[in-house]
Amino acid sequence: MLLTEKEYVEWHENDTSHLARWLSASDHPAPARIVIVDDKTTADEAYRLACAGTSMLYRGDFHNARQLLQAVTRRVERTEKNSAKRKLKKAANKANNSTESGSKNLPNLFHQQRQTTAQRARILSRLLLELDIDYVSSLRRAPEVNKACIAAFGALDKEDESCVLSFRDLQGALGAAGWREKGVPIKELGVAIYPHYGVFAPTRHEYVQLLLDAPLPTVHDVAYDIGTGTGLLAIILAQRGIKQIIATDLNPRALTCAQDNFERQELANVQLQQADLFPTDAPLANLIVCNPPWLPAKPTSPLEYSVYDANSAMLKGFLQGVKSHLAQQGEVWLILSDLAEHLQLRSREALLAWIEEAGLTVKYRLDTQPKHGRSQDKTDPLYAARSSEITSLWCLQSV
Ligand SMILES: C[S@@+](CC[C@H](N)C(=O)[O-])C[C@H]1O[C@@H](n2cnc3c(N)ncnc32)[C@H](O)[C@@H]1O
């Protein structure tokens, strides 16, 4: 991702060749074709260039650049509506009528929808801006973006003179900085959680109540939180009185973020480890919680690793390994949405078979129905699947 690999972008302007560090939150390659645009560029022109694969480096007024991007977005949405979306809907109607052939279409429909979203992201990422080495923009009326960019992309090497990134990525960094400052209120817990850039933000947190309602195992001295993200589940366990909690994540940004949240909550009994699933050198656990990425599909950018789990690798790895980390009478609380089942990307039978193969049995299950915007959007071609989604806490124990 952007912090590890250095890439450069080149363009011609005023008869001079320019080179700058390329930054992309979604790992888009450095653009090959760049033209200079400004306040005189019309939305139709920008839209045409973006669709033709030409990137546009903006020189002019920051707010005009933002308006130009909004206007291009409206054009992209209109085109989607008139073409791809109509096709998707046609297929969805077939699927929603749940005829045999229609229901077979759901995985295709899901993948088509992801492709449409990815294509939209590519088009909208073609409006670029240049920032100096301290992340200062020379565009007129540009806001202060330095702090948000450092949090998102890290400080730049002094050997580079400037960087170029998409306006959209800058907006993402500014949005993340806003959340980090204000926090996401978790009303069930009476606290706010402060997500960092690139870390799963618990904006849909219907599962919090499940973790508050589930009866704790009789002995509950040690718990693990696998894939801790912002640290939310570890904070719930600490509030419920678990004495020692060990939280892991693969993503270094998540570890920094969780540490920040533990400090804000003044929790001294949570240790963090960067690990692929389970901690090392840790006592056996009475309780192991995990809220894995819930859709079995390939992540297409670093920001998607919290949602998509290619071939259910994390889920299967977690189930296969968890028993050897459990103390006697220990419990596993697996938080899992069944959206993948409604989309026919994973079957309930497969999940139950993985649980059984892992030497585990289901002690009980608590369910909740998500109420987030997407599950209520009747114009979404996947509405039937999304509105049927149930998120469960599966309490598992050793056979
Ligand atoms: C859906 S998010 C859940 C975050 C947090 N537990 C919550 O409930 O808000 C999944 C998390 O698992 C982490 N993750 C994915 N694969 C992992 C692995 N193999 N080992 C450890 N963590 C992993 C991701 O980085 C992400 O933070």
Side-chain angles (χ1 to χ4, degrees):
M1 148 153 180
L2 39 98
L3 292 180
T4 51
E5 280 171 34
K6 263 184 146 192
E7 238 192 304
Y8 289 87
V9 60
E10 224 181 328
W11 73 98
H12 276 84
E13 189 175 0
N14 301 329
D15 295 328
T16 317
S17 180
H18 297 260
L19 188 73
R21 173 88 190 274
W22 169 243
L23 300 179
S24 168
S26 310
D27 274 351
H28 288 163
R33 210 164 49 245
I34 296 185
V35 296
I36 306 297
V37 295
D38 58 22
D39 300 338
K40 295 189 290 301
T41 309
T42 66
D44 285 334
E45 211 177 327
Y47 174 65
R48 186 182 50 73
L49 284 166
C51 290
T54 302
S55 294
M56 294 158 276
L57 184 59
Y58 203 88
R59 303 295 190 198
D61 179 276
F62 188 91
H63 293 276
N64 287 350
R66 198 181 52 205
Q67 279 172 3
L68 184 65
L69 184 60
Q70 282 167 355
V72 174
T73 307
R74 284 193 295 275
R75 280 159 179 76
V76 172
E77 284 170 356
R78 209 180 304 147
T79 313
E80 275 175 10
K81 219 177 188 165
N82 294 342
S83 56
K85 265 196 170 173
R86 209 167 24 217
K87 275 189 227 149
L88 282 172
K89 265 197 188 148
K90 224 169 143 187
N93 284 342
K94 241 173 140 187
N96 288 347
N97 288 340
S98 71
T99 59
E100 209 193 317
S101 60
S103 62
K104 275 185 193 151
N105 244 339
L106 275 168
N108 281 346
L109 206 52
F110 167 74
H111 292 299
Q112 275 177 36
Q113 200 176 64
R114 283 193 81 203
Q115 275 168 12
T116 307
T117 309
Q119 171 66 358
R120 183 191 313 165
R122 273 193 297 276
I123 293 176
L124 297 180
S125 294
R126 294 202 172 112
L127 186 65
L128 312 177
L129 82 166
E130 186 182 16
L131 300 175
D132 77 7
I133 199 66
D134 294 314
Y135 291 119
V136 176
S137 165
S138 60
L139 296 188
R140 284 192 316 280
R141 294 199 291 164
E144 144 89 55
V145 298
N146 163 284
K147 227 171 120 192
C149 286
I150 291 193
F153 311 118
L156 293 173
D157 285 349
K158 293 294 173 199
E159 70 203 33
D160 297 326
E161 277 178 17
S162 66
C163 68
V164 167
L165 74 166
S166 74
F167 206 86
R168 205 164 180 257
D169 279 355
L170 178 68
Q171 287 181 322
L174 290 171
W179 280 18
R180 181 165 172 175
E181 202 179 306
K182 288 194 212 108
V184 176
I186 311 288
K187 64 175 187 321
E188 299 86 343
L189 274 190
V191 302
I193 291 290
Y194 295 82
H196 289 196
Y197 182 88
V199 179
F200 179 74
T203 48
R204 298 177 42 171
H205 49 262
E206 66 279 350
Y207 54 87
V208 169
Q209 197 57 49
L210 301 181
L211 278 119
L212 291 170
D213 291 345
L216 285 176
T218 323
V219 182
H220 48 263
D221 296 334
V222 180
Y224 300 168
D225 173 13
I226 306 300
T228 193
T230 55
L232 172 61
L233 304 193
I235 291 171
I236 299 175
L237 297 181
Q239 271 204 5
R240 293 201 63 187
I242 308 248
K243 293 194 192 90
Q244 184 186 3
I245 301 159
I246 302 151
T248 70
D249 209 292
L250 261 183
N251 177 0
R253 288 177 187 268
L255 298 177
T256 312
C257 175
Q259 185 62 40
D260 178 20
N261 281 300
F262 298 152
E263 281 166 15
R264 287 172 190 264
Q265 298 302 321
E266 298 180 4
L267 295 183
N269 58 335
V270 190
Q271 296 147 254
L272 278 161
Q273 273 192 31
Q274 183 169 13
D276 185 356
L277 296 171
F278 303 102
T280 48
D281 298 327
L284 293 177
N286 311 109
L287 178 60
I288 302 184
V289 300
C290 181
N291 175 19
W294 59 97
L295 288 172
K298 204 169 159 218
T300 54
S301 84
L303 302 178
E304 288 193 343
Y305 274 86
S306 294
V307 177
Y308 297 104
D309 180 19
N311 303 315
S312 300
M314 183 194 175
L315 175 59
K316 286 199 249 175
F318 173 75
L319 288 171
Q320 279 158 15
V322 73
K323 187 174 168 174
S324 63
H325 295 272
L326 273 184
Q328 288 257 328
Q329 315 294 328
E331 289 182 5
V332 177
W333 292 358
L334 172 68
I335 309 294
L336 197 61
S337 145
D338 68 355
L339 180 61
E341 295 177 23
H342 296 291
L343 294 171
Q344 298 169 9
L345 300 169
R346 183 184 67 227
S347 68
R348 176 59 57 103
E349 291 72 34
L351 176 65
L352 293 174
W354 298 336
I355 291 173
E356 196 184 327
E357 282 159 23
L360 300 167
T361 180
V362 180
K363 187 172 175 189
Y364 62 84
R365 204 183 77 218
L366 303 178
D367 293 341
T368 185
Q369 189 149 28
K371 303 240 171 335
H372 56 90
R374 273 194 108 176
S375 68
Q376 325 271 307
D377 177 6
K378 292 194 173 152
T379 66
D380 183 336
L382 296 175
Y383 170 71
R386 293 196 195 280
S387 60
S388 314
E389 179 184 9
I390 301 278
T391 298
S392 303
L393 180 154
W394 293 78
C395 177
L396 311 174
Q397 59 185 10
S398 294
V399 176

